[in-house]
Amino acid sequence: MLGVADRASRWQSQLESGVSSVLLSSKQFFTGATAGAWYADGPQGSASGYSPSTLILRAYDRLKGEKQWSYTLPSGTVGTQLTFENGVLYVVALSLSSPSAVRGTSRLIALNSADGNPVFESPLQELINPVAIKNGEIVASSSSGEVIGFDVGTGQERWRERIQLSREPGKARLTEQVETT
């Protein structure tokens, strides 16, 4: 970890391989790491296979670099970017049934940042990408071109709006708001 003012090294820690997401808060930093990969054993990859991925979320003390907790999801799970607000870490986990699966079962997961215990796990209708948290809602974009609002305490969907795209750069608008609670 580097000091902001002098960029001097404060501590150094070896992170596990496969880290794909890092998020900083005032007291902690979080990582999302996926273990699992494609492999090929034969000539030109003739004997190949897939070792199922496992998403592992970890929290570290930001001042000391010491690992505080880890949370491992079931085999075959990957995750999206991490989002943090008011002591809760949010991630969308996608469980793939096979390496060629385009769709899987996804859920919104919230973890207590102090101990890594689940606050909630809420099943989702589709893959989403959390982009912001405001006024008690997680605002996310969906794979179907919608913006969706979820309750930060329960993960339940509150509303969704379709995004109408334009061929003009920078032009998009929300239409057809649907309340879901």
mmCIF file of all heavy atoms in Angstrom, residues 91-125:
data_model
loop_
_atom_site.group_PDB
_atom_site.id
_atom_site.type_symbol
_atom_site.label_atom_id
_atom_site.label_comp_id
_atom_site.label_asym_id
_atom_site.label_seq_id
_atom_site.Cartn_x
_atom_site.Cartn_y
_atom_site.Cartn_z
ATOM 1 N N VAL A 91 -21.655 -8.040 -4.400
ATOM 2 C CA VAL A 91 -21.129 -8.642 -5.620
ATOM 3 C C VAL A 91 -22.245 -9.444 -6.273
ATOM 4 O O VAL A 91 -23.136 -9.961 -5.593
ATOM 5 C CB VAL A 91 -19.906 -9.552 -5.339
ATOM 6 C CG1 VAL A 91 -20.298 -10.767 -4.530
ATOM 7 C CG2 VAL A 91 -19.192 -9.962 -6.626
ATOM 8 N N VAL A 92 -22.226 -9.510 -7.587
ATOM 9 C CA VAL A 92 -23.148 -10.380 -8.310
ATOM 10 C C VAL A 92 -22.375 -11.639 -8.669
ATOM 11 O O VAL A 92 -21.308 -11.568 -9.280
ATOM 12 C CB VAL A 92 -23.704 -9.706 -9.582
ATOM 13 C CG1 VAL A 92 -24.558 -10.684 -10.375
ATOM 14 C CG2 VAL A 92 -24.501 -8.478 -9.209
ATOM 15 N N ALA A 93 -22.887 -12.782 -8.256
ATOM 16 C CA ALA A 93 -22.245 -14.068 -8.523
ATOM 17 C C ALA A 93 -23.038 -14.809 -9.594
ATOM 18 O O ALA A 93 -24.261 -14.882 -9.534
ATOM 19 C CB ALA A 93 -22.180 -14.902 -7.255
ATOM 20 N N LEU A 94 -22.330 -15.339 -10.569
ATOM 21 C CA LEU A 94 -22.938 -16.108 -11.652
ATOM 22 C C LEU A 94 -22.424 -17.529 -11.573
ATOM 23 O O LEU A 94 -21.222 -17.769 -11.658
ATOM 24 C CB LEU A 94 -22.595 -15.498 -13.010
ATOM 25 C CG LEU A 94 -23.104 -16.229 -14.246
ATOM 26 C CD1 LEU A 94 -24.623 -16.242 -14.278
ATOM 27 C CD2 LEU A 94 -22.548 -15.583 -15.504
ATOM 28 N N SER A 95 -23.326 -18.479 -11.367
ATOM 29 C CA SER A 95 -22.961 -19.898 -11.306
ATOM 30 C C SER A 95 -23.181 -20.499 -12.684
ATOM 31 O O SER A 95 -24.300 -20.553 -13.174
ATOM 32 C CB SER A 95 -23.827 -20.631 -10.281
ATOM 33 O OG SER A 95 -23.632 -20.091 -9.014
ATOM 34 N N LEU A 96 -22.102 -20.949 -13.300
ATOM 35 C CA LEU A 96 -22.179 -21.534 -14.634
ATOM 36 C C LEU A 96 -22.264 -23.046 -14.532
ATOM 37 O O LEU A 96 -21.496 -23.666 -13.799
ATOM 38 C CB LEU A 96 -20.953 -21.134 -15.455
ATOM 39 C CG LEU A 96 -20.773 -19.639 -15.665
ATOM 40 C CD1 LEU A 96 -19.456 -19.361 -16.353
ATOM 41 C CD2 LEU A 96 -21.928 -19.081 -16.468
ATOM 42 N N SER A 97 -23.175 -23.620 -15.283
ATOM 43 C CA SER A 97 -23.336 -25.075 -15.256
ATOM 44 C C SER A 97 -22.239 -25.776 -16.041
ATOM 45 O O SER A 97 -21.937 -26.936 -15.805
ATOM 46 C CB SER A 97 -24.708 -25.449 -15.796
ATOM 47 O OG SER A 97 -24.880 -24.916 -17.092
ATOM 48 N N SER A 98 -21.644 -25.084 -17.000
ATOM 49 C CA SER A 98 -20.549 -25.644 -17.784
ATOM 50 C C SER A 98 -19.734 -24.494 -18.336
ATOM 51 O O SER A 98 -20.205 -23.362 -18.385
ATOM 52 C CB SER A 98 -21.088 -26.493 -18.938
ATOM 53 O OG SER A 98 -21.669 -25.657 -19.915
ATOM 54 N N PRO A 99 -18.510 -24.731 -18.787
ATOM 55 C CA PRO A 99 -17.692 -23.643 -19.310
ATOM 56 C C PRO A 99 -18.274 -23.002 -20.555
ATOM 57 O O PRO A 99 -17.973 -21.878 -20.857
ATOM 58 C CB PRO A 99 -16.346 -24.297 -19.601
ATOM 59 C CG PRO A 99 -16.532 -25.756 -19.470
ATOM 60 C CD PRO A 99 -17.808 -26.002 -18.741
ATOM 61 N N SER A 100 -19.126 -23.712 -21.285
ATOM 62 C CA SER A 100 -19.711 -23.138 -22.491
ATOM 63 C C SER A 100 -21.046 -22.454 -22.220
ATOM 64 O O SER A 100 -21.664 -21.925 -23.126
ATOM 65 C CB SER A 100 -19.907 -24.242 -23.541
ATOM 66 O OG SER A 100 -20.796 -25.227 -23.038
ATOM 67 N N ALA A 101 -21.480 -22.463 -20.961
ATOM 68 C CA ALA A 101 -22.778 -21.862 -20.621
ATOM 69 C C ALA A 101 -22.706 -20.351 -20.785
ATOM 70 O O ALA A 101 -21.814 -19.708 -20.272
ATOM 71 C CB ALA A 101 -23.170 -22.208 -19.197
ATOM 72 N N VAL A 102 -23.639 -19.793 -21.541
ATOM 73 C CA VAL A 102 -23.737 -18.351 -21.699
ATOM 74 C C VAL A 102 -24.602 -17.798 -20.573
ATOM 75 O O VAL A 102 -24.360 -16.732 -20.051
ATOM 76 C CB VAL A 102 -24.336 -17.993 -23.079
ATOM 77 C CG1 VAL A 102 -24.525 -16.504 -23.205
ATOM 78 C CG2 VAL A 102 -23.446 -18.531 -24.171
ATOM 79 N N ARG A 103 -25.588 -18.547 -20.193
ATOM 80 C CA ARG A 103 -26.461 -18.146 -19.096
ATOM 81 C C ARG A 103 -26.239 -19.081 -17.920
ATOM 82 O O ARG A 103 -25.937 -20.242 -18.073
ATOM 83 C CB ARG A 103 -27.929 -18.222 -19.512
ATOM 84 C CG ARG A 103 -28.315 -17.225 -20.554
ATOM 85 C CD ARG A 103 -29.791 -17.394 -20.863
ATOM 86 N NE ARG A 103 -30.252 -16.347 -21.710
ATOM 87 C CZ ARG A 103 -30.791 -15.225 -21.275
ATOM 88 N NH1 ARG A 103 -30.911 -15.013 -19.993
ATOM 89 N NH2 ARG A 103 -31.220 -14.310 -22.112
ATOM 90 N N GLY A 104 -26.417 -18.547 -16.774
ATOM 91 C CA GLY A 104 -26.307 -19.339 -15.563
ATOM 92 C C GLY A 104 -27.270 -18.785 -14.538
ATOM 93 O O GLY A 104 -28.099 -17.949 -14.844
ATOM 94 N N THR A 105 -27.133 -19.240 -13.335
ATOM 95 C CA THR A 105 -27.948 -18.743 -12.251
ATOM 96 C C THR A 105 -27.174 -17.633 -11.563
ATOM 97 O O THR A 105 -26.042 -17.844 -11.135
ATOM 98 C CB THR A 105 -28.232 -19.877 -11.240
ATOM 99 O OG1 THR A 105 -28.830 -20.958 -11.939
ATOM 100 C CG2 THR A 105 -29.139 -19.405 -10.143
ATOM 101 N N SER A 106 -27.770 -16.464 -11.465
ATOM 102 C CA SER A 106 -27.058 -15.364 -10.823
ATOM 103 C C SER A 106 -27.806 -14.909 -9.577
ATOM 104 O O SER A 106 -29.012 -15.094 -9.450
ATOM 105 C CB SER A 106 -26.852 -14.198 -11.796
ATOM 106 O OG SER A 106 -28.076 -13.724 -12.277
ATOM 107 N N ARG A 107 -27.016 -14.316 -8.656
ATOM 108 C CA ARG A 107 -27.626 -13.798 -7.431
ATOM 109 C C ARG A 107 -26.808 -12.618 -6.938
ATOM 110 O O ARG A 107 -25.598 -12.536 -7.155
ATOM 111 C CB ARG A 107 -27.756 -14.876 -6.379
ATOM 112 C CG ARG A 107 -26.490 -15.529 -5.951
ATOM 113 C CD ARG A 107 -26.796 -16.804 -5.145
ATOM 114 N NE ARG A 107 -25.631 -17.411 -4.580
ATOM 115 C CZ ARG A 107 -24.761 -18.166 -5.210
ATOM 116 N NH1 ARG A 107 -24.922 -18.399 -6.496
ATOM 117 N NH2 ARG A 107 -23.737 -18.696 -4.595
ATOM 118 N N LEU A 108 -27.486 -11.722 -6.275
ATOM 119 C CA LEU A 108 -26.866 -10.567 -5.661
ATOM 120 C C LEU A 108 -26.519 -10.956 -4.229
ATOM 121 O O LEU A 108 -27.373 -11.432 -3.482
ATOM 122 C CB LEU A 108 -27.835 -9.382 -5.682
ATOM 123 C CG LEU A 108 -27.379 -8.084 -5.034
ATOM 124 C CD1 LEU A 108 -26.111 -7.556 -5.693
ATOM 125 C CD2 LEU A 108 -28.502 -7.058 -5.121
ATOM 126 N N ILE A 109 -25.249 -10.787 -3.854
ATOM 127 C CA ILE A 109 -24.778 -11.188 -2.538
ATOM 128 C C ILE A 109 -24.272 -9.961 -1.802
ATOM 129 O O ILE A 109 -23.534 -9.149 -2.371
ATOM 130 C CB ILE A 109 -23.653 -12.234 -2.643
ATOM 131 C CG1 ILE A 109 -24.191 -13.500 -3.325
ATOM 132 C CG2 ILE A 109 -23.069 -12.556 -1.275
ATOM 133 C CD1 ILE A 109 -23.128 -14.513 -3.646
ATOM 134 N N ALA A 110 -24.667 -9.825 -0.538
ATOM 135 C CA ALA A 110 -24.189 -8.755 0.323
ATOM 136 C C ALA A 110 -23.499 -9.393 1.523
ATOM 137 O O ALA A 110 -24.051 -10.302 2.155
ATOM 138 C CB ALA A 110 -25.346 -7.882 0.780
ATOM 139 N N LEU A 111 -22.281 -8.930 1.817
ATOM 140 C CA LEU A 111 -21.509 -9.457 2.945
ATOM 141 C C LEU A 111 -21.194 -8.331 3.924
ATOM 142 O O LEU A 111 -20.850 -7.213 3.511
ATOM 143 C CB LEU A 111 -20.193 -10.071 2.462
ATOM 144 C CG LEU A 111 -20.285 -11.211 1.454
ATOM 145 C CD1 LEU A 111 -18.898 -11.616 0.999
ATOM 146 C CD2 LEU A 111 -21.021 -12.389 2.048
ATOM 147 N N ASN A 112 -21.271 -8.634 5.210
ATOM 148 C CA ASN A 112 -20.880 -7.705 6.245
ATOM 149 C C ASN A 112 -19.371 -7.519 6.137
ATOM 150 O O ASN A 112 -18.618 -8.493 6.197
ATOM 151 C CB ASN A 112 -21.266 -8.279 7.614
ATOM 152 C CG ASN A 112 -20.919 -7.363 8.752
ATOM 153 O OD1 ASN A 112 -19.877 -6.737 8.779
ATOM 154 N ND2 ASN A 112 -21.817 -7.288 9.709
ATOM 155 N N SER A 113 -18.911 -6.284 5.976
ATOM 156 C CA SER A 113 -17.476 -6.066 5.759
ATOM 157 C C SER A 113 -16.642 -6.342 7.010
ATOM 158 O O SER A 113 -15.444 -6.590 6.905
ATOM 159 C CB SER A 113 -17.218 -4.642 5.267
ATOM 160 O OG SER A 113 -17.523 -3.706 6.277
ATOM 161 N N ALA A 114 -17.245 -6.334 8.186
ATOM 162 C CA ALA A 114 -16.486 -6.573 9.412
ATOM 163 C C ALA A 114 -16.076 -8.034 9.569
ATOM 164 O O ALA A 114 -14.966 -8.329 10.003
ATOM 165 C CB ALA A 114 -17.309 -6.135 10.625
ATOM 166 N N ASP A 115 -16.973 -8.963 9.181
ATOM 167 C CA ASP A 115 -16.686 -10.382 9.431
ATOM 168 C C ASP A 115 -16.897 -11.297 8.219
ATOM 169 O O ASP A 115 -16.611 -12.485 8.287
ATOM 170 C CB ASP A 115 -17.521 -10.896 10.590
ATOM 171 C CG ASP A 115 -19.012 -10.690 10.405
ATOM 172 O OD1 ASP A 115 -19.461 -10.483 9.262
ATOM 173 O OD2 ASP A 115 -19.733 -10.732 11.415
ATOM 174 N N GLY A 116 -17.407 -10.769 7.108
ATOM 175 C CA GLY A 116 -17.620 -11.580 5.908
ATOM 176 C C GLY A 116 -18.872 -12.423 5.929
ATOM 177 O O GLY A 116 -19.118 -13.190 5.005
ATOM 178 N N ASN A 117 -19.685 -12.281 6.971
ATOM 179 C CA ASN A 117 -20.931 -13.055 7.036
ATOM 180 C C ASN A 117 -21.965 -12.474 6.074
ATOM 181 O O ASN A 117 -22.056 -11.252 5.918
ATOM 182 C CB ASN A 117 -21.490 -13.068 8.456
ATOM 183 C CG ASN A 117 -20.671 -13.937 9.375
ATOM 184 O OD1 ASN A 117 -20.149 -14.967 8.954
ATOM 185 N ND2 ASN A 117 -20.534 -13.532 10.619
ATOM 186 N N PRO A 118 -22.764 -13.350 5.443
ATOM 187 C CA PRO A 118 -23.785 -12.867 4.501
ATOM 188 C C PRO A 118 -24.850 -12.015 5.185
ATOM 189 O O PRO A 118 -25.324 -12.361 6.268
ATOM 190 C CB PRO A 118 -24.411 -14.152 3.950
ATOM 191 C CG PRO A 118 -23.421 -15.228 4.234
ATOM 192 C CD PRO A 118 -22.699 -14.807 5.468
ATOM 193 N N VAL A 119 -25.176 -10.892 4.554
ATOM 194 C CA VAL A 119 -26.307 -10.068 4.960
ATOM 195 C C VAL A 119 -27.535 -10.601 4.236
ATOM 196 O O VAL A 119 -28.594 -10.767 4.821
ATOM 197 C CB VAL A 119 -26.060 -8.582 4.626
ATOM 198 C CG1 VAL A 119 -27.289 -7.731 4.927
ATOM 199 C CG2 VAL A 119 -24.838 -8.065 5.373
ATOM 200 N N PHE A 120 -27.367 -10.890 2.930
ATOM 201 C CA PHE A 120 -28.417 -11.532 2.141
ATOM 202 C C PHE A 120 -27.817 -12.125 0.886
ATOM 203 O O PHE A 120 -26.732 -11.743 0.458
ATOM 204 C CB PHE A 120 -29.568 -10.574 1.792
ATOM 205 C CG PHE A 120 -29.197 -9.453 0.853
ATOM 206 C CD1 PHE A 120 -29.044 -9.673 -0.517
ATOM 207 C CD2 PHE A 120 -29.008 -8.175 1.333
ATOM 208 C CE1 PHE A 120 -28.710 -8.641 -1.375
ATOM 209 C CE2 PHE A 120 -28.664 -7.134 0.481
ATOM 210 C CZ PHE A 120 -28.517 -7.367 -0.870
ATOM 211 N N GLU A 121 -28.520 -13.081 0.296
ATOM 212 C CA GLU A 121 -28.270 -13.600 -1.046
ATOM 213 C C GLU A 121 -29.612 -13.596 -1.741
ATOM 214 O O GLU A 121 -30.536 -14.261 -1.294
ATOM 215 C CB GLU A 121 -27.676 -15.009 -1.007
ATOM 216 C CG GLU A 121 -26.253 -15.047 -0.524
ATOM 217 C CD GLU A 121 -25.553 -16.367 -0.842
ATOM 218 O OE1 GLU A 121 -25.925 -17.029 -1.833
ATOM 219 O OE2 GLU A 121 -24.639 -16.705 -0.090
ATOM 220 N N SER A 122 -29.718 -12.831 -2.801
ATOM 221 C CA SER A 122 -30.990 -12.675 -3.490
ATOM 222 C C SER A 122 -30.878 -13.190 -4.925
ATOM 223 O O SER A 122 -30.032 -12.713 -5.689
ATOM 224 C CB SER A 122 -31.375 -11.190 -3.494
ATOM 225 O OG SER A 122 -32.612 -10.994 -4.123
ATOM 226 N N PRO A 123 -31.716 -14.170 -5.323
ATOM 227 C CA PRO A 123 -31.675 -14.664 -6.707
ATOM 228 C C PRO A 123 -32.085 -13.567 -7.691
ATOM 229 O O PRO A 123 -32.908 -12.721 -7.369
ATOM 230 C CB PRO A 123 -32.681 -15.814 -6.719
ATOM 231 C CG PRO A 123 -33.499 -15.656 -5.496
ATOM 232 C CD PRO A 123 -32.759 -14.800 -4.533
ATOM 233 N N LEU A 124 -31.480 -13.613 -8.869
ATOM 234 C CA LEU A 124 -31.753 -12.611 -9.898
ATOM 235 C C LEU A 124 -32.349 -13.276 -11.129
ATOM 236 O O LEU A 124 -32.068 -14.434 -11.413
ATOM 237 C CB LEU A 124 -30.460 -11.892 -10.286
ATOM 238 C CG LEU A 124 -29.759 -11.137 -9.163
ATOM 239 C CD1 LEU A 124 -28.381 -10.678 -9.621
ATOM 240 C CD2 LEU A 124 -30.596 -9.955 -8.720
ATOM 241 N N GLN A 125 -33.130 -12.507 -11.878
ATOM 242 C CA GLN A 125 -33.719 -13.006 -13.120
ATOM 243 C C GLN A 125 -32.698 -13.037 -14.244
ATOM 244 O O GLN A 125 -32.851 -13.761 -15.212
ATOM 245 C CB GLN A 125 -34.886 -12.112 -13.538
ATOM 246 C CG GLN A 125 -36.025 -12.088 -12.553
ATOM 247 C CD GLN A 125 -37.085 -11.072 -12.964
ATOM 248 O OE1 GLN A 125 -37.071 -10.547 -14.085
ATOM 249 N NE2 GLN A 125 -38.010 -10.795 -12.069
#
